[in-house]
Amino acid sequence: SHSCCTFYVLLSDTGKAMLIDYGAASGNHFYAHVRQFESWEVQRFVEHSIYELKKDWGVKSIEVVIPTHYHDDHTCGIPHLQKRYGVELWALDQMVNILENPHGYSVPCLLPYPMKVDRRIADGETVKWEEYELKVVHFPGQTEYHMAMAVNVDGKRVTFTGDSVSGDSSSLGQPIIYRNIITPDSHEKCARELIGLEPDILAGGHGMWLPVDQPTVRTLKER
């Protein structure tokens, strides 16, 4: 679904749902707070899409949310999900501390609300949720605190890449934002991991999902 960022819903046969990211209601709503200058004028979240997911798409309950990375446009709805619906927060090991202790960091796009992580996932770990098996890897292309997750859905290998991959069906690239904290190996690690995940579809953090083949995936390593 589209909001400020693109968030995704993994729906179980039981009607339970997992959200991958859950950000601001719209770009206009998000950037209204960006234009403010006082330290206390932080993101004010407004619930969106939950009613429609239950009314039109068979979602009975939201059980888990997993953020692809810590940026506020992807995480600002998570405290609301935890407080209003009791949703569990699962996160990659490398992201746990920045989510639970945001005041210990000085990086861009940081939501200043601590979020309690209910389940830590190790780099390379495969976890089970309902009928799905989720492969989670550290994916530090846009920031050190980033993951990718691959899961088979209706016969397709869908890989959620957050903001660490961009491009089109012929060539892939990556953002370079040094203040987000990256290392010389960050982008190469993403390229290696993406090849290993063998995606059929890339589900990025902004825009629609992208069907890919292995030659397209390998353009990231070549770049």
Side-chain angles (χ1 to χ4, degrees), residues 25 41 53 153 163 181 191:
E41 291 178 308
L53 288 171
V153 181
D163 289 353
I181 304 179

Side-chain angles (χ1 to χ4, degrees), residues 42-83:
V42 295
Q43 182 66 264
R44 298 168 184 169
F45 181 75
V46 173
E47 181 177 300
H48 62 88
S49 306
I50 303 299
Y51 172 79
E52 290 81 4
L53 288 171
K54 292 183 175 181
K55 174 176 165 294
D56 299 328
W57 296 99
V59 172
K60 295 180 180 178
S61 63
I62 299 170
E63 300 292 313
V64 177
V65 60
I66 297 183
T68 57
H69 57 298
Y70 76 89
H71 284 170
D72 49 2
D73 58 331
H74 292 257
T75 60
C76 62
I78 293 177
H80 174 78
L81 291 176
Q82 292 180 301
K83 182 177 180 180

Side-chain angles (χ1 to χ4, degrees), residues 109-121:
C109 309
L110 181 63
L111 191 71
Y113 305 129
M115 292 173 271
K116 180 70 175 71
V117 174
D118 298 288
R119 180 170 183 176
R120 305 172 66 114
I121 304 173

Side-chain angles (χ1 to χ4, degrees), residues 81-147:
L81 291 176
Q82 292 180 301
K83 182 177 180 180
R84 174 68 177 83
Y85 298 103
V87 174
E88 288 191 4
L89 171 57
W90 295 5
L92 175 73
D93 264 344
Q94 283 85 344
M95 293 169 54
V96 170
N97 194 54
I98 197 170
L99 294 173
E100 293 193 332
N101 304 291
H103 294 99
Y105 294 79
S106 178
V107 289
C109 309
L110 181 63
L111 191 71
Y113 305 129
M115 292 173 271
K116 180 70 175 71
V117 174
D118 298 288
R119 180 170 183 176
R120 305 172 66 114
I121 304 173
D123 181 15
E125 184 179 355
T126 298
V127 298
K128 178 84 171 172
W129 179 77
E130 296 293 304
E131 67 266 33
Y132 298 104
E133 291 189 348
L134 316 168
K135 176 66 176 290
V136 176
V137 297
H138 185 216
F139 205 65
Q142 193 186 54
T143 171
E144 172 70 14
Y145 313 110
H146 201 299
M147 69 129 198

